[in-house]
């Protein structure tokens, strides 16, 4: 199958490209970066990969003259701004996360594609309370980003009914792992990346927020599960891909110390701040039962991260 993966040069995008190519699909990797700036993961099969430049927010950019024939789409392109940036340019956020998905759906409709997987986000949940949430509790959370993601899911499933293609969405929690970096579309890196980089650079760190919690999942677990979901019958279902529990940052730090040799020094210049606390448990019971989702724990994930390179 020829699968178009948008947002392919991003952190999760590169993991998806790797997973789909290793899974046997021919991947058309699409992003706004020029070709010489697209760097796939080193173990991505090059014979199943091609790269095209595509701005998802531009409706005129979507054409088989650019992509070649396409059997299905994985819509991973996203703009993930800081809170301040979202306030400064809300239309830009919506143009990529919602209108970009509309453009992708129109392309799928016109080309009569069979499959469409939307990469949503745990941002569709309000994660400020200490409670357990399921897929049915998604309401857009407390950000414009989350609102755009849930709106795109709703639009996706209406298109699937109207035009007869197989659709699905996944909602990953906080991912960590190889190939994470700063981009204009994602102007931050996770605390896991900060710890890994500090260890690899031989820089000690001081850490605050050790009791603060977040749901961490290893990026390749999510990408490989996304490929399995796409390859079967998605059936207009949405799934949370989470660890099933909010993990204290002290556990993340301990895993990074074991895997990378992170050195902690309360007088160090480099600060890793784990705040804010996100205490919500986002249940992954539905994904476990219906998709066989079985994510590795933080200790195993960090060791895998170190093996693959920070």
């Amino acid at each position: 199958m020829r699968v178009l993966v948008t947002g392919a040069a991003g952190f999760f995008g590169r993991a998806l490209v790797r997973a789909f190519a290793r899974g046997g699909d021919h991947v058309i990797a699409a992003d706004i970066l020029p070709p010489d700036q697209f760097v796939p993961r080193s173990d991505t099969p090059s014979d199943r990969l091609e790269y095209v430049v595509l701005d998802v927010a531009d409706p005129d950019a979507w054409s088989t003259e650019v992509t070649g024939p396409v059997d299905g789409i994985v819509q991973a392109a996203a703009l993930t701004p800081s809170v301040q940036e979202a306030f400064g340019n809300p239309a830009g956020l919506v143009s990529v996360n919602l209108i970009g998905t509309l453009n992708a759906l129109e392309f799928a409709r016109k080309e009569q594609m069979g499959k469409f997987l939307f990469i949503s986000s745990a941002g569709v949940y309000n994660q400020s309370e200490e409670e357990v949430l399921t897929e049915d509790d998604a309401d857009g959370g407390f950000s414009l980003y989350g609102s755009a993601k849930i709106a795109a899911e709703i639009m996706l499933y209406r298109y699937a009914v109207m035009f007869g293609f197989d659709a699905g969405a996944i909602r990953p929690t906080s991912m960590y792992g190889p190939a994470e970096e700063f981009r204009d579309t994602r102007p931050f890196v996770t605390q896991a990346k900060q710890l890994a980089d500090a260890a690899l650079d031989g820089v000690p760190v001081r850490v605050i927020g050790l009791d603060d919690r977040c749901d961490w999942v290893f990026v390749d677990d999510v990408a490989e599960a996304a490929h399995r979901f796409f390859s079967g019958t998605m059936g207009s279902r949405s799934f949370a891909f989470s660890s099933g529990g909010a993990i204290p940052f002290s556990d993340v730090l301990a895993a990074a110390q074991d895997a990378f040799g992170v050195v902690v020094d309360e007088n160090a210049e480099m600060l890793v701040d784990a705040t804010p606390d996100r205490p919500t448990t986002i249940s992954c019971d539905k994904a476990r039962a219906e998709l066989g989702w079985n994510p590795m724990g933080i200790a195993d994930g960090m060791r895998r991260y170190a093996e693959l390179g920070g």
Side-chain angles (χ1 to χ4, degrees):
M1 179 177 287
R2 286 177 57 87
V3 180
L4 176 68
V5 178
T6 68
F11 170 42
F12 189 43
R14 282 189 279 178
L16 286 166
V17 168
R18 171 185 180 271
F20 275 70
R22 286 165 63 97
D25 292 308
H26 184 88
V27 177
I28 305 102
D31 206 289
I32 58 174
L33 293 180
D36 61 351
Q37 293 184 33
F38 173 63
V39 182
R41 296 266 297 272
S42 60
D43 56 350
T44 303
S46 59
D47 60 332
R48 299 195 195 111
L49 176 62
E50 58 185 284
Y51 181 77
V52 300
V53 177
L54 176 64
D55 179 356
V56 299
D58 179 1
D60 295 329
W62 291 86
S63 167
T64 53
E65 293 182 3
V66 174
T67 65
V70 177
D71 301 307
I73 294 177
V74 179
Q75 174 71 350
L79 184 61
T80 314
S82 66
V83 173
Q84 294 79 6
E85 288 168 326
F87 272 93
N89 185 19
L93 184 155
V94 172
S95 71
V96 174
N97 296 319
L98 182 58
I99 304 305
T101 303
L102 173 61
N103 293 336
L105 287 167
E106 277 291 282
F107 183 54
R109 176 183 70 84
K110 291 172 182 175
E111 298 302 324
Q112 300 182 322
M113 291 177 202
K115 285 184 172 287
F116 194 115
L117 174 62
F118 177 59
I119 308 304
S120 188
S121 166
V124 301
Y125 302 101
N126 185 335
Q127 299 175 56
S128 62
E129 301 296 329
E130 194 162 339
E131 59 183 338
V132 178
L133 300 180
T134 70
E135 280 79 0
D136 292 339
D137 296 311
D139 61 3
F142 46 74
S143 69
L144 183 60
Y145 174 78
S147 297
K149 286 290 191 179
I150 196 68
E153 286 189 38
I154 294 168
M155 187 168 58
L156 164 68
Y157 294 137
R158 182 52 52 195
Y159 260 72
V161 170
M162 292 173 67
F163 303 112
F165 55 82
D166 186 33
I170 63 168
R171 302 167 180 166
T173 54
S174 295
M175 292 181 283
Y176 66 95
E180 184 183 0
E181 60 187 18
F182 286 98
R183 287 192 67 189
D184 289 343
T185 53
R186 188 176 182 266
F188 60 88
V189 293
T190 62
Q191 295 95 335
K193 166 71 169 172
Q194 294 170 41
L195 292 174
D197 281 356
L200 293 171
D201 292 340
V203 176
V205 298
R206 57 189 173 95
V207 182
I208 61 174
L210 285 171
D211 294 331
D212 289 338
R213 293 154 291 180
C214 182
D215 193 318
W216 295 90
V217 286
F218 186 60
V219 67
D220 288 344
D221 275 352
V222 181
E224 289 161 11
H227 178 255
R228 291 194 299 272
F229 181 36
F230 180 91
S231 299
T233 300
M234 292 183 285
S236 291
R237 293 175 292 167
S238 296
F239 288 96
F241 282 178
S242 71
S243 71
I247 301 169
F249 196 68
S250 56
D251 291 0
V252 180
L253 176 60
Q257 288 176 298
D258 176 66
F260 287 96
V262 173
V263 174
V264 178
D265 181 346
E266 62 182 17
N267 297 313
E269 290 186 12
M270 180 175 174
L271 172 66
V272 178
D273 182 354
T275 56
D277 183 36
R278 283 179 279 180
T280 304
T281 294
I282 299 174
S283 173
C284 60
D285 290 350
K286 179 181 173 184
R288 288 185 187 276
E290 297 184 28
L291 301 179
W293 168 247
N294 186 29
M296 64 183 77
I298 189 66
D300 288 339
M302 276 291 186
R303 282 193 288 270
R304 184 65 178 145
Y305 184 6
E307 289 169 3
L308 291 170

